Amino acid sequence: ALLIKQMEYTGTQALAAKVSLLMVGEQAIMDAYLCLLHLTVGIVMEQLFNVFSTAAFFEFVTFSLFEMRYMLTIWKSRQPPSFDSWVSLRRELSILYSRFYGLLLFGIILIYNLSDLLRWLLFIFFSFWVPQ
């Protein structure tokens, strides 16, 4: 509900340009990780599959529809001339999605390789609410 209110509040390009793309992207990546975590736990614990798959579905909807759309709105407000034609629109979308999923994959590899430092990684990962 808070994300939707923020999206409504920053509906114009001038207000959307003031929002940190990095922080919205980090929140989207965190929701993607939570989606994968809920789906994995649901597969491992078959008795609780319905509960965890429902949570994974809502996390998927949150990051894939709302947060990615919001990131695109922020991106578009910062680079308006690059969204003139269909070719440039497709190029900018592919850049945004490739960076997002590339960072998601890099984070999974980083968490796997540094699993003994998982507490510190989670602390750093959840300390993203820096005043803007």
Side-chain angles (χ1 to χ4, degrees):
L2 186 61
L3 176 68
I4 295 172
K5 288 230 183 251
Q6 185 178 5
M7 288 173 68
E8 290 173 359
Y9 179 73
T10 58
T12 63
Q13 285 192 354
L15 290 174
K18 294 179 181 180
V19 178
S20 173
L21 184 65
L22 184 65
M23 293 298 115
V24 174
E26 186 175 350
Q27 181 68 39
I29 286 178
M30 285 177 40
D31 286 338
Y33 286 144
L34 287 174
C35 173
L36 291 173
L37 179 71
H38 283 119
L39 195 59
T40 303
V41 171
I43 290 171
V44 171
M45 302 174 74
E46 293 180 16
Q47 301 86 1
L48 299 173
F49 177 74
N50 290 337
V51 175
F52 281 107
S53 64
T54 303
F57 172 73
F58 285 121
E59 288 290 336
F60 178 75
V61 168
T62 300
F63 92 83
S64 67
L65 294 180
F66 295 117
E67 290 173 338
M68 291 302 286
R69 178 178 169 223
Y70 194 41
M71 284 175 51
L72 183 62
T73 303
I74 296 168
W75 185 292
K76 186 177 178 182
S77 70
R78 293 184 180 184
Q79 301 173 350
S82 61
F83 287 87
D84 291 339
S85 66
W86 282 106
V87 175
S88 64
L89 176 68
R90 287 179 61 198
R91 185 182 66 243
E92 294 296 324
L93 276 174
S94 66
I95 290 170
L96 181 68
Y97 278 107
S98 63
R99 286 182 183 171
F100 177 78
Y101 288 110
L103 283 173
L104 187 70
L105 181 63
F106 176 75
I108 290 172
I109 293 169
L110 184 72
I111 289 171
Y112 178 75
N113 287 331
L114 299 176
S115 61
D116 54 336
L117 301 173
L118 188 60
R119 288 185 185 191
W120 290 105
L121 286 175
L122 287 175
F123 177 75
I124 292 169
F125 200 59
F126 279 101
S127 61
F128 64 93
W129 289 112
V130 178
Q132 298 181 24

